[in-house]
Amino acid sequence: MAGEHDQATVQPRAAPVAAADRLGLGRVPMILMYHGVADVAEDPNQLCVTPSRFAEQMTWLKRRGLRGVGISTLVEAVRAGHQRGLVGITFDDGYVSVLEAALPELLRHGFTASMFIISDRLGGSNEWDEGPSWPLMSADQVGELAAAGMEVGSHSATHRRLAGIGADQLEAEVTGSRARLGELLGTPVRGFAYPYGSMDAAARQAVRDAGYDWACAVQASVPELGFMALPRVYVGQRDDARRMTAKRLLFRGQIAARRHP
Ligand SMILES: [Zn+2]
């Protein structure tokens, strides 16, 4: 019977990563992944850390002589071979709580971060999640982030899964969001983060073709590793200093264990 099986055999298991985008496991930097920073009553998807926990995690970085930076800064350092002491900090979705609670703490430490904004949901809420509703930043609030020195990246146009979708839809989510955010900021958008970490070779290629310089995944596998699929380390409310230290020691080993997409 024709169907899913036939399609699966036509698609390559993993398209080769272009030479310029390749990144060996030993050079993969630590990139932290956050969503909201707020004291919320209900958080079934574990997307928030409280402001006090976030402050503790930033202090943990500082005490170890590490500096939190946005991903364009980090990627430039990796390419130049000067990434020692740098840790990437990222926030997905663009929650207002990031502007209110994370930004002051980042500035207090002299850190920067990359914030991934959903271009067609400015001023909206996280309707795609089942669970509590949290407000997303407006266009003006995204401008405030950029003015404070934070990097603004794209998190697609509408927050849909990109793996397996058609070329037109990919174009709208990837190229469309870059154009809209670039117009808003008055400067080219360099980075992308795949919603739900969902990507395939076509999505990575679309991101490259749209003119992005790098993209953040979540659990990229070894064959997918590269500047178009930078893996990230989830950080949650349970992550005190001891757990942060463990995550730092273990993250490359965990990537190495993911042999297949
Ligand atoms: Zn998201």
Side-chain angles (χ1 to χ4, degrees):
M1 272 211 310
E4 273 180 42
H5 182 73
D6 286 350
Q7 280 184 355
T9 54
V10 172
Q11 284 182 355
R13 276 193 65 84
V17 176
D21 291 336
R22 246 172 249 155
L23 179 63
L25 186 59
R27 290 167 69 215
V28 172
M30 189 180 193
I31 301 178
L32 309 181
M33 178 177 68
Y34 289 97
H35 289 80
V37 178
D39 222 328
V40 293
E42 207 197 330
D43 186 11
N45 302 314
Q46 301 189 313
L47 294 175
C48 285
V49 297
T50 61
S52 62
R53 183 63 95 189
F54 183 71
E56 186 185 337
Q57 291 163 346
M58 294 303 102
T59 300
W60 172 84
L61 285 174
K62 192 73 151 217
R63 289 215 176 118
R64 266 145 203 84
L66 300 169
R67 183 158 67 94
V69 293
I71 307 308
S72 283
T73 302
L74 185 65
V75 161
E76 275 167 31
V78 170
R79 285 182 173 141
H82 302 308
Q83 61 162 302
R84 209 183 148 85
L86 300 183
V87 170
I89 304 180
T90 65
F91 297 84
D92 284 13
D93 302 342
Y95 294 107
V96 171
S97 67
V98 170
L99 180 68
E100 291 171 344
L103 180 63
E105 191 63 27
L106 290 165
L107 293 174
R108 203 167 70 81
H109 284 93
F111 292 170
T112 58
S114 292
M115 324 275 193
F116 300 110
I117 305 298
I118 306 152
S119 68
D120 293 6
R121 292 191 187 269
L122 292 168
S125 66
N126 55 326
E127 287 164 49
W128 63 87
D129 275 333
E130 282 180 33
S133 170
W134 296 315
L136 299 173
M137 282 180 253
S138 66
D140 285 350
Q141 288 173 319
V142 171
E144 278 180 53
L145 272 188
M150 300 297 131
E151 175 170 34
V152 174
S154 167
H155 196 37
S156 83
T158 65
H159 204 280
R160 61 181 300 182
R161 288 175 198 280
L162 299 188
I165 68 171
D168 289 355
Q169 294 161 316
L170 257 185
E171 161 114 16
E173 295 291 335
V174 173
T175 310
S177 64
R178 183 166 190 259
R180 180 129 194 240
L181 291 170
E183 207 172 297
L184 171 70
L185 298 163
T187 173
V189 175
R190 296 175 65 183
F192 187 86
Y194 303 97
Y196 309 98
S198 164
M199 52 143 192
D200 54 15
R204 291 192 293 279
Q205 189 60 45
V207 170
R208 165 52 80 201
D209 292 345
Y212 293 97
D213 188 37
W214 51 265
C216 282
V218 183
Q219 298 203 326
S221 65
V222 171
E224 295 169 321
L225 272 187
F227 290 105
M228 290 297 130
L230 295 165
R232 289 185 289 171
V233 177
Y234 164 85
V235 183
Q237 179 60 21
R238 292 176 62 210
D239 293 320
D240 57 11
R242 227 180 100 191
R243 287 175 55 101
M244 293 298 285
T245 300
K247 285 188 168 187
R248 187 174 174 223
L249 290 171
L250 297 174
F251 81 96
R252 278 206 189 90
Q254 286 168 344
I255 298 164
R258 297 196 286 265
R259 309 303 309 179
H260 305 289

